[in-house]
Short mmCIF file of all heavy atoms in Angstrom, two decimals:
data_model
loop_
_atom_site.label_atom_id
_atom_site.label_comp_id
_atom_site.label_asym_id
_atom_site.label_seq_id
_atom_site.Cartn_x
_atom_site.Cartn_y
_atom_site.Cartn_z
N THR A 465 85.89 306.35 280.22
CA THR A 465 87.29 306.11 280.58
C THR A 465 87.86 307.11 281.50
O THR A 465 89.00 306.95 281.93
CB THR A 465 88.12 306.25 279.14
OG1 THR A 465 87.82 307.51 278.63
CG2 THR A 465 87.60 305.26 278.18
N LEU A 466 87.18 308.21 281.86
CA LEU A 466 87.72 309.23 282.76
C LEU A 466 87.40 309.01 284.19
O LEU A 466 86.26 308.71 284.56
CB LEU A 466 87.16 310.48 282.34
CG LEU A 466 87.50 311.10 280.87
CD1 LEU A 466 86.64 312.32 280.65
CD2 LEU A 466 88.92 311.20 280.62
N PRO A 467 88.35 309.00 285.09
CA PRO A 467 88.15 308.91 286.50
C PRO A 467 87.42 310.21 287.05
O PRO A 467 87.69 311.25 286.40
CB PRO A 467 89.64 308.74 287.06
CG PRO A 467 90.47 309.37 286.07
CD PRO A 467 89.84 309.07 284.74
N ILE A 468 86.65 310.04 288.16
CA ILE A 468 85.88 311.18 288.51
C ILE A 468 86.65 312.38 288.97
O ILE A 468 86.33 313.48 288.85
CB ILE A 468 84.86 310.70 289.60
CG1 ILE A 468 83.85 311.72 289.88
CG2 ILE A 468 85.64 310.33 290.87
CD1 ILE A 468 82.61 311.27 290.69
N HIS A 469 87.90 312.12 289.48
CA HIS A 469 88.72 313.28 290.03
C HIS A 469 89.28 314.13 288.86
O HIS A 469 89.68 315.23 289.11
CB HIS A 469 89.88 312.72 290.73
CG HIS A 469 90.91 312.02 290.04
ND1 HIS A 469 90.92 310.70 289.74
CD2 HIS A 469 92.02 312.50 289.37
CE1 HIS A 469 92.00 310.26 289.01
NE2 HIS A 469 92.66 311.38 288.72
N ARG A 470 89.16 313.57 287.57
CA ARG A 470 89.54 314.41 286.38
C ARG A 470 88.52 315.38 286.00
O ARG A 470 88.87 316.24 285.24
CB ARG A 470 89.97 313.51 285.32
CG ARG A 470 91.20 312.73 285.47
CD ARG A 470 92.45 313.56 285.13
NE ARG A 470 92.33 314.08 283.83
CZ ARG A 470 92.71 313.46 282.67
NH1 ARG A 470 93.04 312.19 282.75
NH2 ARG A 470 92.60 314.11 281.55
N ILE A 471 87.20 315.15 286.44
CA ILE A 471 86.13 316.01 285.83
C ILE A 471 85.41 316.75 286.89
O ILE A 471 84.55 317.52 286.61
CB ILE A 471 85.17 315.12 285.02
CG1 ILE A 471 84.55 314.10 285.99
CG2 ILE A 471 85.87 314.44 283.84
CD1 ILE A 471 83.46 313.31 285.31
N ARG A 472 85.72 316.61 288.10
CA ARG A 472 85.01 317.35 289.17
C ARG A 472 85.43 318.74 289.26
O ARG A 472 86.49 319.13 288.90
CB ARG A 472 85.12 316.61 290.54
CG ARG A 472 86.61 316.51 291.10
CD ARG A 472 86.68 315.72 292.30
NE ARG A 472 87.99 315.65 292.79
CZ ARG A 472 88.39 314.90 293.83
NH1 ARG A 472 87.48 314.19 294.47
NH2 ARG A 472 89.66 314.89 294.18
#
Side-chain angles (χ1 to χ4, degrees):
T465 59
L466 299 175
I468 193 168
H469 71 271
R470 289 280 306 278
I471 60 176
R472 63 186 177 184

